[in-house]
Amino acid sequence: MKATLLSLALSILLIGGAAPASSADFFPVHVGAAWQYAAHDDKNSRVMTMLVSGTAAIPGARGSYFVVERLDVTGAPDAQRYQQANLLRVTRDSVHLFGGTDIRTGNKLEYLFFKEAVVGTEWSYVMLDGTKRFLKVADRPAQVKVPAGTYTGCLHYLDSLNGSFAVGKDVLAQTWICPGTGAVKMIEYPRPDNPRAARIFELRSYKSH
């Protein structure tokens, strides 16, 4: 799966005197972990599963990665299974997404997908195709209700192409990530190169391994 969702995808310091939470708390990535989502737009609905299928070592990269794959409605792998995988590296205070190899320099690129931060913190990264992505911590802690239950102490962040975070205008995606579970809700919006309807993903179930 390409890097939109997960298009999946953290670590925060909970407000109110709580102890620091690590990226591993918000991204409980272990081989065998699986998240099942009810996915729908204005016309269609389906079930999508994200599965941590293994680990991968990339020569020249900064460390080992978890392979996070997307499975179709029946649970069988998509036709291009590995090509639709994300490679994630989780540290104490950040989550990194493997971006590929820069053919000009041969360097292995990582994108800072998340970092521990207070509300209002913004950061950005440049993808291999030159596209710049901007992210912002919008709310913490947040409460989210989805088919799997009600989650508290969650992190809510926004993803934008232009650095403006007006929901309904400039935001590409919203994600809610909760301690001990990971991403429980995601909304993906139309973008200039793909004017499809907005898609909503809500967690139905999660198993740790």
Side-chain angles (χ1 to χ4, degrees), residues 57-88:
I58 309 295
R62 298 180 182 180
S64 179
Y65 297 86
F66 288 100
V67 181
V68 183
E69 301 189 58
R70 172 172 157 175
L71 309 183
D72 66 17
V73 65
T74 64
D78 292 338
Q80 295 182 333
R81 184 179 181 186
Y82 187 78
Q83 286 78 2
Q84 293 188 354
N86 279 333
L87 301 180
L88 294 181

Side-chain angles (χ1 to χ4, degrees), residues 54-137:
T55 59
I58 309 295
R62 298 180 182 180
S64 179
Y65 297 86
F66 288 100
V67 181
V68 183
E69 301 189 58
R70 172 172 157 175
L71 309 183
D72 66 17
V73 65
T74 64
D78 292 338
Q80 295 182 333
R81 184 179 181 186
Y82 187 78
Q83 286 78 2
Q84 293 188 354
N86 279 333
L87 301 180
L88 294 181
R89 184 171 67 87
V90 181
T91 69
R92 168 72 192 178
D93 60 357
S94 59
V95 176
H96 301 265
L97 182 70
F98 181 71
T101 303
D102 188 330
I103 60 174
R104 297 164 299 179
T105 64
N107 293 334
K108 302 297 187 292
L109 300 184
E110 280 190 343
Y111 307 140
L112 180 57
F113 187 56
F114 178 80
K115 63 179 179 180
E116 208 290 325
V118 299
V119 171
T121 298
E122 301 178 16
W123 68 96
S124 64
Y125 58 80
V126 180
M127 303 177 72
L128 274 177
D129 64 1
T131 302
K132 194 170 186 178
R133 301 290 287 269
F134 299 82
L135 297 101
K136 179 179 181 178
V137 178

Side-chain angles (χ1 to χ4, degrees), residues 14-204:
L14 297 179
I15 296 175
S22 72
S23 296
D25 296 326
F26 282 82
F27 267 88
V29 182
H30 310 283
V31 174
W35 297 259
Q36 188 180 82
Y37 298 92
H40 63 90
D41 56 26
D42 61 347
K43 295 181 180 179
N44 303 297
S45 61
R46 59 192 175 90
V47 175
M48 183 190 74
T49 299
M50 304 301 296
L51 171 69
V52 183
S53 59
T55 59
I58 309 295
R62 298 180 182 180
S64 179
Y65 297 86
F66 288 100
V67 181
V68 183
E69 301 189 58
R70 172 172 157 175
L71 309 183
D72 66 17
V73 65
T74 64
D78 292 338
Q80 295 182 333
R81 184 179 181 186
Y82 187 78
Q83 286 78 2
Q84 293 188 354
N86 279 333
L87 301 180
L88 294 181
R89 184 171 67 87
V90 181
T91 69
R92 168 72 192 178
D93 60 357
S94 59
V95 176
H96 301 265
L97 182 70
F98 181 71
T101 303
D102 188 330
I103 60 174
R104 297 164 299 179
T105 64
N107 293 334
K108 302 297 187 292
L109 300 184
E110 280 190 343
Y111 307 140
L112 180 57
F113 187 56
F114 178 80
K115 63 179 179 180
E116 208 290 325
V118 299
V119 171
T121 298
E122 301 178 16
W123 68 96
S124 64
Y125 58 80
V126 180
M127 303 177 72
L128 274 177
D129 64 1
T131 302
K132 194 170 186 178
R133 301 290 287 269
F134 299 82
L135 297 101
K136 179 179 181 178
V137 178
D139 189 21
R140 56 179 284 190
Q143 179 172 299
V144 189
K145 186 175 182 180
V146 294
T150 299
Y151 294 83
T152 58
C154 305
L155 168 73
H156 173 208
Y157 79 96
L158 307 176
D159 183 353
S160 167
L161 272 178
N162 61 10
S164 176
F165 294 96
V167 176
K169 181 180 179 181
D170 303 305
V171 169
L172 291 176
Q174 298 189 70
T175 306
W176 289 261
I177 298 171
C178 303
T181 305
V184 302
K185 183 176 181 178
M186 297 159 282
I187 305 176
E188 294 181 345
Y189 297 99
R191 50 189 292 173
D193 61 348
N194 187 6
R196 52 165 171 69
R199 296 186 294 186
I200 300 174
F201 302 82
E202 295 181 305
L203 187 69
R204 290 178 44 166

